[in-house]
Amino acid sequence: MRHENGKAVTDADFAARPVPQESRRGLLTMFMIMLGFTFFSASMWVGQEMAAGLDFGGFMGALILGGIILGLYTGLLGYVGAKTGLSLDLLAQRVFGMKGSYLPSAMISLTQIGWFGVGLAMFAIPVANELLGGSTAACWGLVILAGICMTGSAYYGIKSLMIVSYVAVPLVAILGTVSMILAVQRGDGTIIDQFAVSSGTLSVIGGAGLVVGSFVSGGMATPNFTRFAKSGMSGMITTIVAFFIGNSLMFFFGAVSYIFVGGNDIFEVMIRLNLFYLAVLVLGLNIWTTNDNALYSAGLGLANIFHQEKKPMVLISGIIGTVTAVWLYYNFCNWLNVLNCTLPPVGIILVLGYFMHKEDYEAEEFRHKEVDWFAVAGVVLGAIVANVLNWGVASINGMVVATVCYCVGRAVHGKN
């Protein structure tokens, strides 16, 4: 709470302090928010790649293995966020130091603004092409309209995110699943038969790597939302279940789209099924549930860096993402894939920082250091290894290196 002109003003999003127990949310609300967060259209691209390279058994094996790895990572972050009530950026202040926290805040802000812009274009471009003649003016009109709506929901914070999730999640899940079933029924044979046309160029381990990489960068922002959960276990369980269900749906949507129309989005399937307006609704809501969460996290990150209120930082992030949306869509996706390997080291260091120093998080007063250079080194070296080493799962490689660096740092500090 801050004071302006003698009046108390409550920060409902608790950008600069832990979320108090009286402001925590119930299990269903947290589940809907986290499920909406995972409804990410770009994950359908991964479903397309998996369907093209794996048979049905391999697809399911990769989905389960990757889901377990991603669930463990995000579940731990969800637990820490809920247990402490701290956002990603406030956790980073504890582990990386006050100025050291600028690194993870900048990384998550850049990534989330990038995905926000890409998401706008992923909505505007296909809708303009299919329904509005494909004109540039129509595309930009849709980008601006969607940018305003999605920025607005992120601007009003967690309550607005709840409303969007409660509306969008059931509609996307039901309409998308029905369309997927209709598409499979119109195909040749069972879904197992349809997956059998796969080129077989992908291993289960490779597919699991795609599953993990699809949302591991966004998963780092998990504490920004689970800090509103009533308990650590509630935050962890809702995260694991929501991430597994949400990501699995997106992968299946992408896989069925590839099998049915050779594309990578359930939107294309619904268009083929002559469900034009429902297709636009599902595509828009699907992107909205992720984009407002992304912009919310970007605003928190920039607020930490520039020591400003969250809301104006959300507006700035939304404007940047909207203006650059089409350029981001055509030029930034490869760079965002690099960042997908760069962010997991931050998340694992935040988890280690909590479990190795629980007592510091329970103390009312905490003396922040300026920079923890071992934590910073863990992120830098972990990112390099994840992007350079062509073996195993890139994000896990980065987390292993980051873990070693941080633990060495704790040992060194313990001797001083």
Side-chain angles (χ1 to χ4, degrees):
M1 182 176 291
R2 63 190 187 279
H3 296 271
E4 296 177 2
N5 300 322
K7 296 181 179 180
V9 181
T10 302
D11 174 15
D13 288 295
F14 305 97
R17 65 188 179 96
V19 178
Q21 198 61 39
E22 62 269 19
S23 296
R24 303 294 182 101
R25 308 290 175 176
L27 194 68
L28 178 60
T29 296
M30 293 309 307
F31 177 72
M32 296 297 278
I33 290 174
M34 298 309 295
L35 191 58
F37 187 30
T38 65
F39 279 11
F40 184 36
S41 287
S43 295
M44 296 186 204
W45 299 350
V46 174
Q48 177 194 26
E49 291 185 63
M50 292 170 66
L54 293 165
D55 61 16
F56 187 72
F59 179 89
M60 291 301 299
L63 191 152
I64 293 171
L65 177 59
I68 290 172
I69 296 170
L70 190 60
L72 287 172
Y73 171 72
T74 56
L76 287 171
L77 281 168
Y79 178 87
V80 173
K83 193 70 174 178
T84 62
L86 298 174
S87 68
L88 161 70
D89 306 282
L90 295 181
L91 288 169
Q93 288 180 8
R94 298 286 187 108
V95 180
F96 288 83
M98 289 299 292
K99 292 184 178 179
S101 70
Y102 298 166
L103 174 63
S105 291
M107 291 166 64
I108 193 68
S109 296
L110 174 63
T111 308
Q112 298 308 301
I113 291 172
W115 278 124
F116 174 81
V118 170
L120 292 179
M122 287 177 67
F123 169 74
I125 292 173
V127 172
N129 288 340
E130 291 286 345
L131 305 179
L132 301 173
S135 73
T136 302
C139 179
W140 273 106
L142 288 171
V143 165
I144 293 169
L145 177 61
I148 292 171
C149 293
M150 295 175 190
T151 300
S153 63
Y155 177 85
Y156 286 107
I158 195 69
K159 290 183 178 179
S160 183
L161 267 58
M162 287 166 45
I163 294 171
V164 171
S165 295
Y166 268 107
V167 172
V169 166
L171 282 173
V172 172
I174 293 171
L175 293 175
T177 301
V178 169
S179 299
M180 182 173 64
I181 292 171
L182 290 174
V184 171
Q185 289 176 341
R186 295 192 182 188
D188 296 326
T190 66
I191 190 170
I192 296 175
D193 297 328
Q194 294 172 46
F195 264 89
V197 301
S198 158
S199 62
T201 55
L202 192 63
S203 67
V204 172
I205 297 298
L210 290 175
V211 171
V212 175
S214 69
F215 211 72
V216 73
S217 63
M220 195 184 91
T222 299
N224 287 339
F225 312 106
T226 60
R227 63 199 175 109
F228 288 94
K230 289 186 178 296
S231 68
M233 289 302 295
S234 172
M236 181 172 68
I237 292 171
T238 53
T239 297
I240 292 173
V241 175
F243 268 58
F244 188 79
I245 293 175
N247 279 316
S248 297
L249 273 177
M250 294 301 106
F251 298 143
F252 268 109
F253 288 173
V256 170
S257 176
Y258 171 75
I259 293 169
F260 188 60
V261 298
N264 57 22
D265 199 310
I266 199 69
F267 173 81
E268 300 170 61
V269 173
M270 297 181 76
I271 291 293
R272 180 71 68 87
L273 293 169
N274 295 319
L275 303 172
F276 295 101
Y277 297 108
L278 288 178
V280 174
L281 178 66
V282 168
L283 180 64
L285 290 177
N286 189 33
I287 291 172
W288 198 335
T289 57
T290 305
N291 264 17
D292 58 359
N293 284 273
L295 213 57
Y296 180 85
S297 294
L300 287 172
L302 293 182
N304 179 50
I305 295 170
F306 297 108
H307 305 287
Q308 299 294 320
E309 297 292 329
K310 177 189 71 72
K311 286 187 174 182
M313 295 297 100
V314 167
L315 288 180
I316 291 172
S317 301
I319 291 170
I320 294 171
T322 301
V323 170
T324 59
V326 176
W327 180 87
L328 287 167
Y329 180 80
Y330 287 112
N331 297 280
F332 206 55
C333 285
N334 289 336
W335 175 237
L336 287 170
N337 288 329
V338 171
L339 289 174
N340 280 348
C341 299
T342 303
L343 290 171
V346 175
I348 199 66
I349 287 175
L350 295 182
V351 170
L352 289 169
Y354 171 75
F355 283 105
M356 294 174 73
H357 303 282
K358 282 186 179 181
E359 65 282 357
D360 292 339
Y361 293 80
E362 296 169 358
E364 292 186 10
E365 296 293 332
F366 180 80
R367 184 178 178 182
H368 292 85
K369 59 179 85 72
E370 285 291 299
V371 179
D372 187 316
W373 291 108
F374 283 96
V376 171
V379 172
V380 174
L381 293 176
I384 292 172
V385 170
N387 283 290
V388 172
L389 183 62
N390 294 317
W391 177 84
V393 178
S395 53
I396 295 178
N397 295 338
M399 285 191 276
V400 169
V401 172
T403 297
V404 171
C405 287
Y406 186 72
C407 289
V408 168
R410 294 308 92 204
V412 170
H413 286 306
K415 293 180 179 179
N416 294 336

